[in-house]
Amino acid sequence: MAFPVVLQGPDTEHRNDYAEQRWLLGQKLITGDGRAYRFVQVGSATLVPGNVIDGPGLITNHEKTAGVVAGSEAGSSTLVATLGSTASAKNQYRGGYASIVLTPGGGETYLLNSEPSVTTHEAVDSAGIITANLAQGETIVTALTATSDVTWVLNRYKGVVQSPVTTLLGEAVGVAVKATTANRYGWVQTAGVASVLASGTVVVGNTLARLVAAAGAAGPTAVGTEAYLGRVVSVGTTWATVVLDLD
């Protein structure tokens, strides 16, 4: 299954949603007026239009996991390692990344298979061994060993949710444009003019960031503390008109 790097319109495609995965997660769509969108799979709750949407966070026991095993030599198209004490469902890391965070191989990151027709990895028991297929064309650069730690990163567009209150888990991936229901596929907006749920003192011309004080909301940017979303062009009672700059 091959997909274009960027889709050009039609201008109404961003309002569609699907029961099946029609595009690769993260597929970019640009409409004729320059707005941009990314294709996502919704998590466990229906999206709310205008809400800031986050990708999934890291799984604690899948960070800095030790124990790369045989099968991860230079030139290999698979990475074989021991996961931490949390099981992994089949293809959980499809379209995600394996980031090597301890030498040998430290500083190298590998894209995992994202093709829906190809198995990325089988289900893995707690503390079990994962054999992950890399994306087409990817191969191991530096031979990995039992001392090479791996952090497993989920596809940022899989299982997206309303940006939560208090504790942010994943990064902001866009703003919802439709009430796409749980587990379905659709689009979130990443660039161009958008209506965004706002909280706090929002000022025209200033930048906007996601807030931890209100679920799904954006508000004034405090430098260095929140994820930048874009710049305010108009302020309403509940929503602000914003030029998004996430893509």
Side-chain angles (χ1 to χ4, degrees):
M1 183 184 291
F3 294 97
V5 176
V6 177
L7 290 175
Q8 300 291 333
D11 289 351
T12 56
E13 168 58 30
H14 65 281
R15 301 196 188 282
N16 293 335
D17 66 281
Y18 306 94
E20 304 294 333
Q21 185 177 340
R22 182 167 182 176
W23 312 101
L24 293 180
L25 296 180
Q27 172 67 58
K28 188 174 183 178
L29 167 72
I30 296 180
T31 55
D33 63 312
R35 287 174 295 167
Y37 303 84
R38 293 282 182 166
F39 193 67
V40 300
Q41 182 183 30
V42 177
S44 59
T46 299
L47 302 186
V48 178
N51 273 201
V52 179
I53 303 302
D54 287 358
L58 294 177
I59 297 173
T60 301
N61 290 323
H62 294 177
E63 294 183 68
K64 298 175 285 188
T65 60
V68 173
V69 299
S72 300
E73 63 274 2
S76 174
S77 59
T78 60
L79 197 160
V80 186
T82 302
L83 281 185
S85 55
T86 299
S88 176
K90 181 177 180 179
N91 294 325
Q92 184 171 12
Y93 284 99
R94 175 174 283 160
Y97 302 88
S99 176
I100 314 304
V101 294
L102 185 66
T103 56
E108 296 169 359
T109 298
Y110 298 100
L111 174 64
L112 304 180
N113 167 67
S114 58
E115 293 286 347
S117 60
V118 177
T119 297
T120 303
H121 62 84
E122 298 293 344
V124 184
D125 292 334
S126 173
I129 293 174
I130 182 172
T131 300
N133 290 314
L134 305 185
Q136 185 176 10
E138 282 265 44
T139 57
I140 301 295
V141 176
T142 302
L144 305 177
T145 73
T147 60
S148 303
D149 284 359
V150 184
T151 288
W152 299 88
V153 182
L154 296 162
N155 185 304
R156 63 199 291 249
Y157 302 105
K158 181 178 182 178
V160 300
V161 297
Q162 177 193 63
S163 189
V165 176
T166 307
T167 303
L168 300 175
L169 300 176
E171 59 184 315
V173 296
V175 171
V177 294
K178 182 178 181 178
T180 307
T181 55
N183 302 313
R184 287 181 66 87
Y185 298 87
W187 302 91
V188 294
Q189 187 173 350
T190 57
V193 176
S195 182
V196 182
L197 179 66
S199 180
T201 304
V202 177
V203 179
V204 172
N206 285 2
T207 57
L208 206 64
R210 63 177 176 172
L211 294 180
V212 295
T221 305
V223 177
T225 60
E226 299 103 353
Y228 166 75
L229 300 175
R231 191 169 297 277
V232 181
V233 296
S234 178
V235 179
T237 303
T238 304
W239 290 273
T241 303
V242 178
V243 177
L244 294 175
D245 190 18
L246 283 167
D247 218 339

